[in-house]
Amino acid sequence: MPSTPSQDSSFLGHPRGLATLFFTEMWERFSFYGMKALLILFMTGATVQGGLGFDTPTAAAIFGLYTAGVYLSALPGGYLADRLWGQERAVLYGGILIAAGHFSLAVPSKATFFAGLVLIVLGTGLLKPNISILVGRLYASQDERREAGFSLFYMGINLGGFLAPLICGTLGEKVDWHWGFGAAGVGMVLGLVQFVLGKKKLEGPGMQAHRPPTEPLARKIRGQIFVGLGLGACLAVGLGIGWIPLTAVQLANFAAIAIVSMAIGFFAYLLVMGGLDSMEKKKVAAIAMLFIFASIFWAGFEQGGSSLSIFARDMTDRVVGGWEFPASWFQFVNSFYVMLLVPVFAVLWTRLGSRQPSVPVKFAVGLTLLGAGFLVLTRAAQLAETGAKVGLGWLVVAYFLHTCGELCLSPVGLSMVTRLAPERFAGQMMGVWFISMSLGNLLAGLVAGKIVQWSMSGVFFGVAAVCMVAGVLMAGLAGPVKGLMGQGNRADAEMDSTSASSAAGPATEPVGSSSSP
Ligand code: PHE
């Protein structure tokens, strides 16, 4: 019976299928973060050393647009899974495209470099949102293990993210760029093998057989794919050969507006013309509200790779035992903390069971923690701006607070979308959820670009203020958003009232634990 909670608990207390999805996603993220660690270095690397020799603004723009594109493509990726292929096949096709992309990067030529990036963007759009949906489907809608399951899945993501720079980064930088990219491709192939072998274990109470579309509909969708790919190719070529004269920053600003309009358009379309009943409409409205706060969160959080890196490079004393370690090493810190903290959070949510804080309260805590991290950085930057470099403890504490915030928001958000999205729009809803990430990445880049104008401490303080205000707003809106999510009704009444009355208590627990790293 579809609504009976699954009793399967053979993978660390979770359904067996979680192991398959955990390792597939681990390898996918390994390949993604492995090549991401190399990308900027390779593009700006001198041609005599095998790099592409691009200037920094061009490389940064390509990097920003690539990372935004990777998450933006989740919307068509989700759509294709909903309408044409189903989630499982979408993950499989996505993995194949990603592996092909990395191997294309492994070939030393500019054409194969750009082709590789495009293949990875398309493949990730198919794989990433849909694999998250498959995780959600392992659980019945009221199964309290769902969020803990997503936390574990998140650990797989970060295990991949942690190993990647070590392996692909070292190979790429020390041996040959293309070996690094090739290693990323090998990782994705391992993920694919894992997925194909473990696919049988993917049944769960929420798993539904995919209903293939009728032939005319399938033909129409295939037509849309060709038109979409054609337009994308024209745009890329137009930009590449300078027919569309836009600077990198103009392009990023334009992309931000386009992404916001797309998200608004999508939610409006679904609410007005999606044929949803009133219950479904409320849930979609709840996702839309949370989407706004998630975008603000990612715009701050994703500065971990931009303004925080610059702070690490220019203002932090990185000399340990007489040796200065590279600023890029701070990129491990977040993944390391995630692996350390996920078990803590998983136990916390499981222990609290029905008493755990509601999703909007967790979001509010997440934003506040991120804001607190930026306050720490503001003080550090103020000190550094007076002359001497500051100790690395400031960044270590800030990344810790940011990671605690991430764990209150990111896996929780994924889990919430799989629970609330109307079944027939599951892929698209997850796709739109990833757009918050795409937007966040783009905004993070634009905000980090303000360092020169506003000073480092000015930027950090501004981000801290926005996050704190957003956290307070989110907390204020928690009641109405919970109402929209359908809690406070029927069977959820009990869970909701206990979590509401205890929200002030447990909700602050991660804050308390995070203040003493
Ligand atoms: N570290 C996360 C990941 O790579 C960031 C992320 C969260 C990306 C949510 C997309 C959506 O998966």
Side-chain angles (χ1 to χ4, degrees), residues 97-115:
L97 286 176
I98 294 172
H102 289 299
F103 289 128
S104 178
L105 291 179
V107 178
S109 87
K110 238 186 226 171
T112 48
F113 172 75
F114 285 112

Side-chain angles (χ1 to χ4, degrees), residues 25 28-29 32-33 71 128 132 153-154 157-158 298 301-302 334-335 338 406 410-411 414 430 433-438 441:
E25 179 62 341
E28 186 269 329
R29 291 286 95 182
F32 178 75
Y33 285 115
Y71 295 119
K128 185 98 165 90
S132 308
F153 179 68
Y154 216 71
I157 286 175
N158 283 279
W298 292 122
F301 182 88
E302 283 299 322
N334 169 243
S335 284
V338 170
E406 179 188 9
S410 187
L414 293 174
M430 188 56 90
W433 187 251
F434 276 48
I435 288 186
S436 66
M437 188 69 188
S438 173
N441 265 294

